[in-house]
Amino acid sequence: MSTTSAPGSGQGTALRLDGVAKSFGPVIALKSASLDMLPGSIHALIGENGAGKSTLVKIIAGLYQRDSGVFEYQGNVVDFSNTAQSKDAGIAVIYQEPTLFPDLSVTENIFMGRQPTGSLGRIDRKAMRATVRDLFSQLGVNIDPDRPTRGLSIADQQIIEIAKAISLDARVLIMDEPTAALSGVEVDRLFKVARGLRDEGRALLFISHRFDEVFALCDTVTVMRDGEYVATSAIAETTVEEMVHQMVGREVATLFPKEPAEIGDEVLKVSNLTEPGVFHDVSFSVRSGEIVALAGLVGAGRSEIAQAIFGVDNYESGTVTINGKSVRKHDPARAMDLGIALVPEDRRKQGVVLDSSVARNITLAIRKTLTKAGLLWPAAENQAASHWAGRLEVKTNALDTTVGTLSGGNQQKVVLAKWLATNPSLLIVDEPTRGIDIGTKSEVHRDLSRLAGQGLAIIMISSELPEVLGMADRVLVVHEGRITAEIDRADATPESVMFAATHSKAVA
Amino acid sequence: MSISSTSILAESNILGKLGRIGKARELGIFLAFVLVVAVTTIQNPNFLFSSDGFRDLLVTPSILMIVAVGQAIVIITRNVDLSVGSVVGLSAYLTGRVFIDYPQLPWPTVFVIGLVFGALLGLINGALVAFAKVPSLVITLGTLYAFRGINVLWTGSDRINASDMPASFLALGTSSWWKIPVITIIALVVLAIAGFYMYTQRGGRELYAIGSDPDAANLYGLKVKKRILAAFIMSGALAGLAGVLYAARYGTVNSQVGSGLELEAVGAAVIGGVAIFGGSGSVFGAAIGAFLLLTINRALPVLGVQDFWQRAVVGALIIGAIVLDKLAANRQERKLVELRDTEVEQKEAQNV
């Protein structure tokens, strides 16, 4: 019946992907993804950040279209060109961030686009409300169907998404990290609902970073790495160690390792930094000449901690001191004066002014000291800029080239140069090599290593394990806003870091 | 028995719904309107009780009301249509030209011509916004000048006079049915149809959804482009209709008809509780907003307020309306979060 019956396509498969690839220009998001979902079964999909899970979900949803490979739904090859088609076919996707209309009522959210209508095309609100009441009693939840969805907790919003999926009679339900923002009680409720749906014969895909949840809920698990399918195993026949190994299994050789540097006095001390719901009780210190990595999953709170130290984000309690002087909260200007520099995560939005020249960008943080009689002269700007551009080997035709025309790696060097010009004693780099080609990447690593050698204290936030392991003297693992492990360079392995990043309990 | 009980139930639902929607804004703005009329009438009874006064009260805001209803539909989708003033101008002039060039045409045809012509101009706006993906503020600012330019080019120093148009057509602007001016009746019919569409039809609800969260609307698989196009066509068509009514009411049309009307329409919608970021408010609110805006304009001279202050009062009204909205939204958000927290506590208590 099915147009392609490749070997291994089981009878009665709900949804099957085989060798699906997708790239965006030169960036390859998926190399070869495979997945086999069965009705009446909960399938887990796990992998590191950037393994391609979200791209895969968007292909199933019809938001992206695959470049090659097989996508079968209920035995037939399908090509969804938009989300309406996948929805009509019976595939419901619950995204990490629920996508509801905040101004509209719960009922309207569930039925938007397919409301029951009566005479003159009038929407039958009574029928809608009755259906929603039924759905909610079936799910065992107590949400007013007439209230707007604005102000609902993430957990309730997800329940509404699930109610929507059930009312569509979806045969396949995809849940992208649904538990990331839920409390224990809410997770239990979600699992109960998910098991009920499984027992009705639906196929569920559960994407999560939490191994305990995968073991508690799922029947089968598929691991992805770097856009590729790695392995599928029955949950009863695998272990956490094996899954971690499958997630990270690659060599750490191609990178520029940090050169040994003399570790000096304590530069930064963070004590009990807390912002409810974001990070809790964060304490650590960094010495001069040391590179400390903040490892963990995206959304664990690493960037928020960095921004709190720099004074951009607020925090409720705790203290930050640098070279013995305390850093006030919510005052980045003072943090800069005290010698903190922050190379932010989003280079294009937060790091550089894309339409300004290289010279302008490099001197942006020191323009006050360059002024003469209150005026900023190009000569002074260029002199300072060329010094730093030279030291970091920024590849540009001229100093008045617009930064937007440089490659990502050279833009990053411009950001680094900007902060080094302020002569900082602590440098925070957030994902310093994201989206940078391999060659420039190792140059950035070399630069960071040299700076540490010159006595700078460095905090490096990175989601790339090889980078963390290659560069860091110490690894602090952040999990759900807490530092759950501190691992020395000698003890740091891909497995130990990944294990700590996915487990709430600290490892010994 | 079952019929009556369901109809009572349906009615109570409708009332509950209306109460829910209307509670905050439409009712408040209506009370403000009543207050303005009452205070002014106490000062000068002719404001309401003379036959001219009553007529002016109803007829003056009617044309703005039609344009404001169209504007509200567009703003609800998180867009704005700044070209409506120019569309009114073009349509009014076109109406006059049709009478001059085709005197044999039966006059009701001009309504169809005005509607279709406005809809075409709306189609241009909508297509540019939906497909070229340029913000509507920029597109319609452009077409505001472009349409006006065409109007000036076409009209020159010419003008349409009352003598160019048939008396039966002009009578529309002056006659009444049961003391209600015909123009006001037309405006109320437009309002009823628009309200019916926005509240009971899938298309109308999708316009709210698109304005509430455009990204979510895409993920839902709603036909966002088609709906936005439709919203601009509706706004254009209503502005076209308003142009025809302008010609009927005033009898003279030059190249500057409708100048500045777009800002009055946006003002009316905002005063009436249509959130500028889309997703909430109603065409009824915008209609009452139009009444309040123009009635205040007429009331202030009666109350002896100087010319300069009249504009300042309108400005204060718009800013006040937005501040009020923001405060109400904050309070509602707090209340909704509280409601949620007590629900969670109850649940957790049950689980323990």
Side-chain angles (χ1 to χ4, degrees):
Chain A
M1 273 231 296
S2 66
T3 43
T4 55
S5 55
S9 71
Q11 283 299 307
T13 300
L15 185 149
R16 195 173 77 88
L17 300 179
D18 193 13
V20 168
K22 174 76 187 171
S23 34
F24 300 93
V27 182
I28 300 168
L30 273 187
K31 275 184 220 150
S32 164
S34 297
L35 184 69
D36 207 338
M37 291 174 67
L38 299 171
S41 169
I42 304 180
H43 199 117
L45 181 63
I46 61 171
E48 268 190 280
N49 301 320
K53 293 166 300 189
S54 296
T55 310
L56 184 142
V57 168
K58 285 175 180 162
I59 286 175
I60 295 177
L63 211 59
Y64 296 161
Q65 285 71 45
R66 65 187 187 281
D67 296 336
S68 60
V70 178
F71 178 6
E72 280 178 18
Y73 176 64
Q74 295 185 328
N76 303 311
V77 173
V78 286
D79 296 284
F80 298 131
S81 50
N82 56 50
T83 52
Q85 288 178 5
S86 69
K87 208 157 92 170
D88 288 345
I91 296 174
V93 181
I94 296 164
Y95 298 93
Q96 201 171 347
E97 294 284 314
T99 48
L100 299 171
F101 305 113
D103 300 294
L104 302 184
S105 73
V106 169
T107 308
E108 284 208 272
N109 266 284
I110 291 175
F111 284 99
M112 184 52 70
R114 49 189 190 85
Q115 299 96 331
T117 51
S119 61
L120 297 173
R122 278 183 304 166
I123 291 168
D124 189 346
R125 283 165 200 265
K126 220 172 69 179
M128 273 171 31
R129 204 171 294 125
T131 315
V132 170
R133 288 234 162 82
D134 283 353
L135 280 171
F136 282 172
S137 70
Q138 185 188 334
L139 293 171
V141 294
N142 180 25
I143 304 171
D144 177 4
D146 290 327
R147 64 164 284 163
T149 56
R150 192 188 298 281
L152 279 175
S153 68
I154 300 276
D156 283 343
Q157 293 187 37
Q158 277 169 349
I159 289 292
I160 291 169
E161 296 272 14
I162 289 173
K164 199 165 80 188
I166 299 173
S167 75
L168 275 165
D169 196 27
R171 304 317 296 168
V172 171
L173 228 91
I174 317 260
M175 296 192 278
D176 191 355
E177 291 197 49
T179 56
L182 304 197
S183 71
V185 183
E186 292 167 336
V187 170
D188 290 346
R189 181 177 74 173
L190 181 73
F191 282 10
K192 217 164 80 185
V193 170
R195 289 193 189 99
L197 296 173
R198 175 191 62 191
D199 297 341
E200 289 170 22
R202 299 174 212 267
L204 281 80
L205 185 69
F206 179 76
I207 298 173
S208 178
H209 282 303
R210 300 179 180 170
F211 290 130
D212 46 344
E213 292 177 359
V214 168
F215 277 96
L217 182 68
C218 302
D219 305 306
T220 320
V221 55
T222 291
V223 183
M224 286 180 72
R225 182 179 66 228
D226 299 336
E228 277 184 294
Y229 169 85
V230 178
T232 299
S233 8
I235 213 81
E237 290 162 15
T238 188
T239 59
V240 173
E241 286 71 23
E242 194 182 335
M243 278 164 31
V244 167
H245 185 74
Q246 289 168 344
M247 280 167 73
V248 297
R250 68 162 108 70
E251 297 305 313
V252 189
T254 53
L255 288 143
F256 188 94
K258 188 196 177 227
E259 289 159 351
E262 194 180 323
I263 309 285
D265 296 334
E266 184 177 278
V267 173
L268 173 80
K269 185 165 178 56
V270 176
S271 310
N272 307 104
L273 211 59
T274 298
E275 170 71 8
V278 186
F279 46 81
H280 304 273
D281 210 12
V282 172
S283 302
F284 64 97
S285 63
V286 185
R287 296 171 171 278
S288 85
E290 193 181 31
I291 298 182
V292 172
L294 290 184
L297 302 165
V298 168
R302 297 169 301 165
S303 301
E304 289 78 2
I305 294 170
Q307 290 181 14
I309 293 172
F310 191 62
V312 180
D313 286 3
N314 204 359
Y315 47 93
E316 193 181 82
S317 60
T319 56
V320 178
T321 55
I322 181 147
N323 296 324
K325 294 188 193 106
S326 82
V327 182
R328 274 203 303 264
K329 56 177 151 183
H330 242 322
D331 192 354
R334 179 164 159 86
M336 277 169 66
D337 289 346
L338 290 173
I340 306 181
L342 172 70
V343 175
E345 186 179 7
D346 190 335
R347 182 169 55 241
R348 296 177 66 85
K349 280 191 185 148
Q350 304 170 325
V352 290
V353 183
L354 285 170
D355 296 329
S356 286
S357 69
V358 171
R360 261 294 141 81
N361 267 284
I362 291 179
T363 54
L364 205 55
I366 52 163
R367 60 191 198 292
K368 273 188 196 145
T369 57
L370 290 180
T371 53
K372 282 202 194 94
L375 297 173
L376 194 54
W377 300 95
E381 238 180 14
N382 286 337
Q383 197 191 350
S386 76
H387 171 71
W388 285 105
R391 266 189 71 178
L392 292 179
E393 296 171 29
V394 177
K395 289 182 189 66
T396 171
N397 294 329
L399 286 173
D400 59 2
T401 305
T402 310
V403 163
T405 63
L406 299 184
S407 72
N410 279 299
Q411 287 180 11
Q412 191 69 311
K413 286 184 177 179
V414 168
V415 184
L416 271 172
K418 172 177 78 179
W419 286 113
L420 294 177
T422 65
N423 193 25
S425 49
L426 170 72
L427 177 67
I428 307 174
V429 286
D430 195 348
E431 303 285 2
T433 61
R434 174 177 291 171
I436 291 180
D437 63 279
I438 300 283
T440 320
K441 201 166 175 171
S442 62
E443 285 179 32
V444 170
H445 289 147
R446 182 201 58 207
D447 290 339
L448 290 176
S449 174
R450 279 188 193 161
L451 291 166
Q454 290 157 14
L456 199 64
I458 298 177
I459 298 177
M460 182 180 76
I461 297 173
S462 174
S463 296
E464 284 186 47
L465 275 177
E467 183 169 271
V468 169
L469 300 172
M471 296 295 296
D473 293 301
R474 257 188 313 142
V475 182
L476 301 176
V477 182
V478 183
H479 177 77
E480 295 180 3
R482 291 174 198 278
I483 293 181
T484 52
E486 177 172 348
I487 307 171
D488 274 335
R489 184 182 184 82
D491 302 328
T493 62
E495 284 79 11
S496 64
V497 174
M498 184 48 72
F499 192 87
T502 48
H503 279 69
S504 17
K505 282 157 243 130
V507 280
Chain B
M1 194 207 110
S2 69
I3 293 166
S4 69
S5 70
T6 48
S7 70
I8 286 168
L9 212 131
E11 204 172 342
S12 73
N13 276 342
I14 290 164
L15 286 178
K17 202 75 200 180
L18 282 181
R20 190 187 291 272
I21 299 164
K23 221 172 5 192
R25 272 318 271 287
E26 283 85 346
L27 186 67
I29 213 77
F30 181 72
L31 291 178
F33 170 70
V34 171
L35 188 75
V36 169
V37 173
V39 168
T40 317
T41 305
I42 290 168
Q43 189 76 15
N44 180 358
N46 282 339
F47 188 72
L48 180 59
F49 292 118
S50 70
S51 66
D52 274 356
F54 182 68
R55 193 188 142 72
D56 281 346
L57 187 69
L58 293 180
V59 84
T60 308
S62 294
I63 290 175
L64 176 63
M65 182 177 134
I66 291 174
V67 179
V69 164
Q71 188 68 257
I73 293 174
V74 171
I75 294 179
I76 281 169
T77 67
R78 203 180 278 190
N79 283 291
V80 70
D81 187 352
L82 293 181
S83 73
V84 287
S86 302
V87 175
V88 169
L90 268 179
S91 163
Y93 187 69
L94 178 74
T95 303
R97 283 288 4 146
V98 166
F99 283 125
I100 293 171
D101 296 342
Y102 305 96
Q104 75 285 6
L105 268 185
W107 66 259
T109 327
V110 296
F111 280 89
V112 179
I113 293 172
L115 268 171
V116 171
F117 178 68
L120 281 175
L121 297 181
L123 178 74
I124 295 172
N125 284 328
L128 286 170
V129 172
F131 296 105
K133 291 191 177 162
V134 184
S136 55
L137 187 78
V138 180
I139 289 289
T140 59
L141 186 66
T143 51
L144 181 160
Y145 287 109
F147 294 163
R148 182 65 66 191
I150 293 167
N151 198 346
V152 171
L153 203 67
W154 190 16
T155 319
S157 55
D158 197 14
R159 59 149 72 177
I160 309 281
N161 294 307
S163 56
D164 299 326
M165 292 183 273
S168 51
F169 175 70
L170 293 172
L172 275 180
T174 48
S175 57
S176 297
W177 285 352
W178 295 307
K179 301 215 167 194
I180 312 278
V182 172
I183 289 184
T184 306
I185 291 173
I186 294 173
L188 289 174
V189 169
V190 165
L191 174 64
I193 294 172
F196 179 81
Y197 176 75
M198 293 301 281
Y199 186 65
T200 72
Q201 300 291 300
R202 279 188 188 177
R205 300 319 295 170
E206 287 182 17
L207 293 180
Y208 278 94
I210 289 164
S212 190
D213 189 339
D215 294 335
N218 262 325
L219 290 176
Y220 264 69
L222 302 185
K223 295 188 174 69
V224 175
K225 285 179 183 171
K226 189 181 129 191
R227 295 292 178 208
I228 288 179
L229 195 63
F232 276 97
I233 290 174
M234 286 186 261
S235 168
L238 292 183
L241 175 67
V244 177
L245 294 177
Y246 184 97
R249 175 161 188 234
Y250 295 99
T252 14
V253 179
N254 62 17
S255 65
Q256 293 306 311
V257 167
S259 289
L261 194 68
E262 59 281 339
L263 294 184
E264 285 187 344
V266 174
V270 169
I271 291 170
V274 177
I276 203 80
F277 293 118
S280 67
S282 73
V283 291
F284 300 106
I288 305 171
F291 266 87
L292 181 62
L293 194 66
L294 292 193
T295 305
I296 285 186
N297 267 347
R298 288 178 49 246
L300 292 176
V302 176
L303 295 172
V305 177
Q306 282 176 358
D307 209 31
F308 165 77
W309 287 108
Q310 291 171 20
R311 288 186 161 246
V313 166
V314 172
L317 194 67
I318 291 174
I319 293 170
I322 290 172
V323 170
L324 204 74
D325 267 357
K326 189 76 203 155
L327 291 177
N330 287 349
R331 214 186 61 174
Q332 190 205 23
E333 192 136 340
R334 262 203 317 278
K335 230 160 66 182
L336 288 174
V337 170
E338 272 168 30
L339 195 71
R340 175 193 93 201
D341 289 345
T342 52
E343 275 174 18
V344 170
E345 274 163 30
Q346 281 167 6
K347 258 175 259 162
E348 288 187 351
Q350 281 167 15
N351 281 4
V352 171

